[in-house]
């Protein structure tokens, strides 16, 4: 059960619409390394995690990724609200507009719609945590790329906040992996896995 606070985790107040910016920022909503995939990944992985502390980290970060998804959607909405026909055509926003008007649709900057395979839940604690570490770095790089291309301070401010949170998430997953590895080492996990190797340890 979650309690929902009806405000963004960090304020988004964009004064100037810019559909060109919206078309690249939207990748952090529906792209392969975006917030929608991240939230679904972590909130799905938590069910197969054997350790309560790791399950708690996945729940915490997965919930925060939902908040980041809200921020990205708010940014895309504010960048595309009240556009004129001329603005739509000049920015090359017409193809998106034809399919979605100014609705916020989970899509990558490359125009590929969101795919369930972005969730990447393997059900193995080490595989999933390594996936999560890589996912946070890929999201950080995407924010780096956005920060290189955008010059509006109203847009840069929340993007910098989101980039910082990816780094914090990476650190938390690193702690989870270290703690988990210590537990698995005590069971000789790397040499053999007793759950399917009857000769393990003999």
């Amino acid at each position: 059960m979650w309690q929902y606070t009806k405000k963004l985790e960090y304020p988004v107040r964009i004064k100037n619409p810019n559909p060109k910016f919206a078309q690249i920022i939207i990748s952090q909503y529906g792209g392969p390394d975006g917030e929608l995939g991240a939230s679904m990944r972590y909130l799905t992985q938590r069910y197969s995690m054997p350790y309560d502390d790791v399950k708690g980290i996945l729940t915490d970060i997965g919930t925060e990724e939902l908040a980041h998804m809200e921020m990205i959607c708010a940014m895309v909405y504010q960048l595309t609200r009240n556009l004129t026909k001329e603005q739509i055509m000049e920015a090359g926003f017409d193809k998106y507009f034809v399919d979605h008007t100014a609705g916020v649709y989970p899509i990558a900057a490359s125009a590929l719609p969101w795919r369930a395979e972005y969730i990447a839940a393997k059900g193995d604690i080490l595989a999933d945590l390594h996936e999560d570490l890589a996912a946070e770095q890929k999201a950080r790089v995407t924010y780096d790329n956005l920060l290189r291309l955008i010059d509006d301070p109203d847009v840069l401010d929340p993007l910098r906040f989101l980039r910082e949170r990816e780094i914090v998430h990476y650190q938390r997953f690193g702690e989870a992996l270290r703690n988990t590895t210590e537990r698995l080492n005590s069971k000789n996990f790397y040499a053999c896995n007793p759950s399917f190797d009857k000769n393990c340890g003999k």
Side-chain angles (χ1 to χ4, degrees):
M1 180 65 70
W2 286 276
Q3 291 185 338
Y4 176 59
T5 303
K6 295 184 179 181
K7 67 176 183 178
L8 295 178
E9 182 182 5
Y10 189 87
V12 175
R13 301 188 184 95
I14 300 172
K15 294 185 286 293
N16 300 313
N18 189 319
K20 283 189 175 181
F21 290 166
Q23 289 176 93
I24 56 175
I25 289 171
I26 204 165
S27 234
Q28 279 302 84
Y29 173 33
D33 307 310
E35 308 293 357
L36 174 58
S39 62
M40 294 298 100
R41 180 185 308 115
Y42 306 147
L43 293 174
T44 300
Q45 288 177 357
R46 68 182 296 278
Y47 291 101
S48 59
M49 285 294 166
Y51 305 122
D52 287 342
D53 57 331
V54 180
K55 190 177 292 187
I57 288 172
L58 286 163
T59 304
D60 290 346
I61 296 177
T63 303
E64 186 176 358
E65 300 290 14
L66 289 172
H68 294 174
M69 188 181 77
E70 282 189 311
M71 288 179 61
I72 292 294
C73 290
M75 295 175 76
V76 171
Y77 168 73
Q78 291 181 24
L79 286 165
T80 58
R81 66 179 183 265
N82 302 323
L83 294 175
T84 65
K85 175 184 174 181
E86 290 71 28
Q87 288 173 315
I88 291 169
M89 298 302 292
E90 287 172 11
F93 192 64
D94 49 331
K95 295 179 182 66
Y96 181 96
F97 185 85
V98 166
D99 289 337
H100 309 292
T101 320
V104 183
Y105 181 76
I107 196 168
S110 61
L112 183 67
W114 186 84
R115 303 160 69 108
E117 64 198 47
Y118 298 158
I119 294 175
K122 190 68 174 176
D124 177 273
I125 188 167
L126 292 178
D128 282 344
L129 286 173
H130 279 284
E131 176 72 36
D132 301 342
L133 285 162
E136 293 298 327
Q137 287 299 324
K138 288 187 282 186
R140 188 266 307 161
V141 172
T142 304
Y143 281 119
D144 286 347
N145 293 338
L146 290 171
L147 291 166
R148 290 183 179 104
L149 297 173
I150 291 170
D151 57 8
D152 184 338
D154 290 346
V155 181
L156 291 172
D157 184 47
L159 286 177
R160 287 192 185 102
F161 170 83
L162 290 166
R163 181 189 184 278
E164 290 170 4
R165 296 306 300 165
E166 304 297 347
I167 294 168
V168 171
H169 294 172
Y170 178 80
Q171 293 167 338
R172 291 199 67 197
F173 282 133
E175 293 166 8
L177 180 61
R178 282 190 298 275
N179 293 338
T180 297
T181 302
E182 289 175 6
R183 291 169 177 148
L184 295 177
N185 280 343
S186 69
K187 298 178 182 178
N188 203 22
F189 184 86
Y190 291 107
C192 57
N193 189 327
S195 66
F196 55 77
D197 185 350
K198 294 179 181 178
N199 297 315
C200 182
K202 293 182 180 179

